[in-house]
Amino acid sequence: MNFELSEELKMIQSLARDFVNERLKPLERDILGRAADLSDARAYLPREKEVELVATVREMGLWGVGVPEELGGAGLDALGVCLVEEELAQTVVPFHFGDITPILFDCNAEQREKFLLPALNDKKKPYLALMESDGSTDPSGMKMKAVKRRGNYLLNGIKLSFSRAGDDYFAVVFAVTGRGVTCFLVDKDTPGFSVTGGGERTGWLAPIREPMLLVFDNCRVPAENILGEEGKAFRLGMRWLPQRRVVRGARCVGIARRLLDEATVQAQSLVTFGKPVFQRTSIQAALADIAMNIEAARLMVYEAAWNSDIGKSVRRKAAMVKLYTTQMIQTVADRVAHVFNGPPYIEGLPMERLCRRALEASAIELALEKQRSIIAADILKGLKI
Amino acid sequence: MPLPVQRDIKEIEGILNEILNTRCPPVGRCRLLSSGFGTAHSLNIAEDISGHKECLGCGNCVDICPFLSREPSRREKTEQRTSMALESIVGEDCDLCNACILVCPQVDTTIKNYVVNHRMVEVMSRLESRIGDENEPDLDLFLEEAISSG
């Protein structure tokens, strides 16, 4: 058993680490705000700065990090993607290395030119329209319908999208057709399709994400805009989606590592009752607990990613990763709060945003129950751990 | 809530097993085998209603039904929340999990005890064969994409 990363992976890791340390971390103040009342805090980097950073990543050859090479990405395997995402999660600057949802990887040649490549080249933003406004998080109870009329489909309904807004965009819409749920690609200028919300917030509201409303009013979409097959929307991206869960686990590990860094600096600099806090055993215990949790989670993530790379099914492993990392990040955030002498929601500190993200990651408790049932199903079928 | 004096399970065991073996939500028929409204239901009205066996319409059985939580669209077929409604919207698709019997306030505790003590083991193995269908797509993966994108 060899836990050593290959030379190539080590290189990718150090490239990503240097990029985050040298290019992204200096920009953190731009995001968090410099003014005392944080009136200049913002959700995203200015457009021109982002274009510059994307160009740098392209030069490094890491743009489209998880996108297969034949679709124009860097085509790293799952372990490589995990290493990169773990580094990227260590800063509060919202930036990614061409992270496109694998649902779009099933585009045909024509759709690839029209939708996937512009999305990958940052020209068009994909708006994932899965959820609806009735508060239900169960995609199988979807209400929006698409009716077939003379070779076209008429879309009617309202969707919520948490994707990032942009000037040019297209929607990836899930709607019920006669035979199950079908996925449609709807371009910005399609008549009957309109978007409300999604404006960029500044100031203390900046980190709050609000969904956009995508309204479809008798929106006519041609049959060639169906992504994949009719009625089989939930079979899209089957090859890539399970390992995305592992990658999200890697992000949690990255956030936790940064939180540990912040906590260490705090522990070394704060003096209470005439004694530096790091000399107190409870603080040392908190730091040790955090480090142990991170180490365990990281090994789980790497092992699951490695399993995915050698072609094994990662369904159960990915469920375990999700379950463990979301619990881990909550424990870590809690321990860090302990070191900081109170809840870490002090606006303007990097750790406030990091904790926010950490809790976002575990927002859906229901989904965690689902992970447990995936693991239990394998055990009941006779799996021995 | 049923009457304190309930029928001996031995008297009804045969018919009860027949009901539990039929592929249809068993709660309504189990209620009819029970002792009916207990005295706790007696409001200050002229007529004594204890012993009557009508469905209260509390909807517990509709809420607990695992089949309806997998296919919530069937609930829209009717606004009623009685055991009759449950039978008509679930029908032969019933999982035979017996959960509806256990939540019904009108079914005798003797019947519930019988179901738990004598019929739960087979329910377990039936439910076990249902879980973990690898070919069913995992919809949570899509939900996670939708929330974490951007």
Side-chain angles (χ1 to χ4, degrees):
Chain A
M1 199 186 290
N2 183 7
F3 286 98
E4 189 82 7
L5 293 175
S6 71
E7 284 305 315
E8 193 199 349
L9 286 174
K10 271 187 196 163
M11 201 179 71
I12 289 167
Q13 189 183 34
S14 75
L15 267 177
R17 187 170 290 168
D18 291 348
F19 181 83
V20 169
N21 284 335
E22 288 161 21
R23 306 297 299 271
L24 294 184
K25 280 191 182 163
L27 298 172
E28 280 188 346
R29 267 296 132 207
D30 292 343
I31 291 293
L32 294 168
R34 289 189 164 80
D37 60 351
L38 301 177
S39 57
D40 55 350
R42 44 191 306 156
Y44 299 106
L45 290 170
R47 185 72 196 142
E48 54 275 16
K49 190 74 207 171
E50 238 172 28
V51 172
E52 187 192 317
L53 289 173
V54 170
T56 317
V57 179
R58 273 187 188 286
E59 276 171 30
M60 283 157 53
L62 285 179
W63 186 254
V65 69
V67 184
E69 257 172 311
E70 63 268 24
L71 299 177
L76 292 191
D77 49 18
L79 189 50
V81 179
C82 282
L83 292 171
V84 170
E85 290 288 348
E86 187 187 321
E87 296 303 327
L88 278 175
Q90 291 202 46
T91 169
V92 298
V93 177
F95 186 76
H96 58 79
F97 283 8
D99 180 44
I100 303 293
T101 171
I103 297 171
L104 287 173
F105 293 175
D106 281 328
C107 283
N108 59 31
E110 202 179 311
Q111 291 165 346
R112 195 176 295 176
E113 291 299 317
K114 212 170 152 199
F115 297 103
L116 178 62
L117 286 179
L120 185 59
N121 293 333
D122 212 18
K123 299 266 185 336
K124 278 185 177 187
K125 300 277 183 209
Y127 288 2
L128 261 184
L130 178 70
M131 279 171 283
E132 294 176 353
S133 55
D134 59 357
S136 152
T137 51
D138 182 14
S140 61
M142 193 177 288
K143 295 211 175 59
M144 180 164 164
K145 289 203 166 56
V147 185
K148 198 168 185 176
R149 287 274 159 75
R150 287 188 295 267
N152 291 327
Y153 286 82
L154 272 186
L155 270 61
N156 272 307
I158 298 176
K159 285 278 183 184
L160 297 180
S161 173
F162 280 96
S163 300
R164 181 170 169 194
D167 294 333
D168 202 358
Y169 52 82
F170 64 91
V172 184
V173 190
F174 290 79
V176 181
T177 52
R179 283 167 283 167
V181 176
T182 307
C183 183
F184 298 91
L185 296 166
V186 184
D187 214 355
K188 179 190 177 189
D189 298 323
T190 315
F193 169 40
S194 58
V195 177
T196 53
E200 200 180 327
R201 290 159 174 267
T202 52
W204 63 278
L205 286 174
I208 297 172
R209 283 169 74 202
E210 237 188 334
M212 290 179 283
L213 276 187
L214 312 188
V215 183
F216 299 88
D217 179 20
N218 278 325
C219 180
R220 193 179 297 274
V221 181
E224 61 256 30
N225 278 20
I226 290 180
L227 183 56
E229 285 174 52
E230 187 187 342
K232 295 198 175 154
F234 292 132
R235 304 262 163 206
L236 290 168
M238 287 287 263
R239 266 170 61 202
W240 299 278
L241 277 175
Q243 69 201 47
R244 295 275 282 185
R245 221 168 238 169
V246 183
V247 171
R248 276 188 285 267
R251 279 182 202 155
C252 284
V253 173
I255 294 173
R257 276 176 54 199
R258 175 69 189 276
L259 281 172
L260 178 60
D261 288 350
E262 297 284 323
T264 314
V265 171
Q266 173 79 356
Q268 284 171 332
S269 55
L270 190 66
V271 178
T272 56
F273 305 106
K275 202 173 168 188
V277 290
F278 72 84
Q279 288 183 1
R280 296 181 196 282
T281 45
S282 63
I283 299 292
Q284 290 176 3
L287 293 176
D289 281 355
I290 297 172
M292 179 192 70
N293 276 313
I294 294 175
E295 190 68 25
R298 180 152 49 169
L299 285 174
M300 259 178 121
V301 167
Y302 287 1
E303 202 247 359
W306 173 76
N307 266 293
S308 155
D309 289 339
I310 58 172
K312 286 191 185 163
S313 160
V314 288
R315 191 175 144 88
R316 185 186 69 250
K317 297 232 179 226
M320 284 185 174
V321 164
K322 180 173 177 188
L323 200 54
Y324 186 73
T325 51
T326 45
Q327 286 171 354
M328 180 275 293
I329 195 81
Q330 279 183 342
T331 322
V332 168
D334 186 65
R335 299 278 86 190
V336 170
H338 186 95
V339 177
F340 268 71
N341 274 343
Y345 290 110
I346 307 159
E347 303 265 340
L349 284 186
M351 65 166 306
E352 184 257 337
R353 288 257 178 131
L354 288 167
C355 287
R356 237 179 230 282
R357 284 203 195 153
L359 296 179
E360 247 172 43
S362 54
I364 349 170
E365 279 300 320
L366 203 77
L368 287 186
E369 285 314 316
K370 174 82 185 184
Q371 312 313 314
R372 291 194 173 98
S373 73
I374 290 176
I375 300 167
D378 278 3
I379 296 170
L380 291 171
K381 275 187 212 153
L383 170 85
K384 296 275 180 278
I385 293 279
Chain B
M1 285 197 270
L3 288 169
V5 182
Q6 296 172 5
R7 215 186 304 190
D8 187 0
I9 204 73
K10 291 222 172 57
E11 279 176 43
I12 50 170
E13 194 174 354
I15 181 99
L16 191 57
N17 278 329
E18 190 66 30
I19 291 170
L20 295 174
N21 290 338
T22 313
R23 200 160 260 289
C24 181
V27 59
R29 284 159 298 150
C30 284
R31 192 191 66 239
L32 293 175
L33 274 182
S34 303
S35 53
F37 282 116
T39 40
H41 290 297
S42 307
L43 300 171
N44 196 10
I45 49 175
E47 194 185 354
D48 179 15
I49 58 166
S50 62
H52 283 226
K53 296 181 178 179
E54 288 89 349
C55 174
L56 288 171
C58 68
N60 282 358
C61 52
V62 179
D63 289 337
I64 198 113
C65 179
F67 175 76
L68 288 182
S69 52
R70 286 200 302 277
E71 274 192 37
S73 55
R74 290 231 191 165
R75 288 201 187 121
E76 287 161 20
K77 286 188 178 170
T78 172
E79 299 231 314
Q80 285 186 33
R81 287 162 58 75
T82 57
S83 62
M84 182 72 131
L86 182 76
E87 280 180 29
S88 67
I89 56 184
V90 174
E92 291 198 340
D93 296 319
C94 176
D95 283 351
L96 292 182
C97 70
N98 297 341
C100 52
I101 301 178
L102 300 182
V103 294
C104 179
Q106 285 298 104
V107 171
D108 277 356
T109 38
T110 48
I111 294 181
K112 289 181 183 175
N113 283 339
Y114 179 80
V115 167
V116 170
N117 293 333
H118 295 88
R119 303 295 301 242
M120 268 310 179
V121 178
E122 50 186 294
V123 169
M124 289 297 175
S125 63
R126 257 200 311 271
L127 291 183
E128 195 188 278
S129 67
R130 294 197 61 90
I131 52 176
D133 184 1
E134 294 253 330
N135 293 322
E136 243 171 63
D138 187 352
L139 301 188
D140 281 346
L141 283 171
F142 287 83
L143 209 59
E144 287 163 18
E145 274 309 298
I147 291 172
S148 68
S149 69

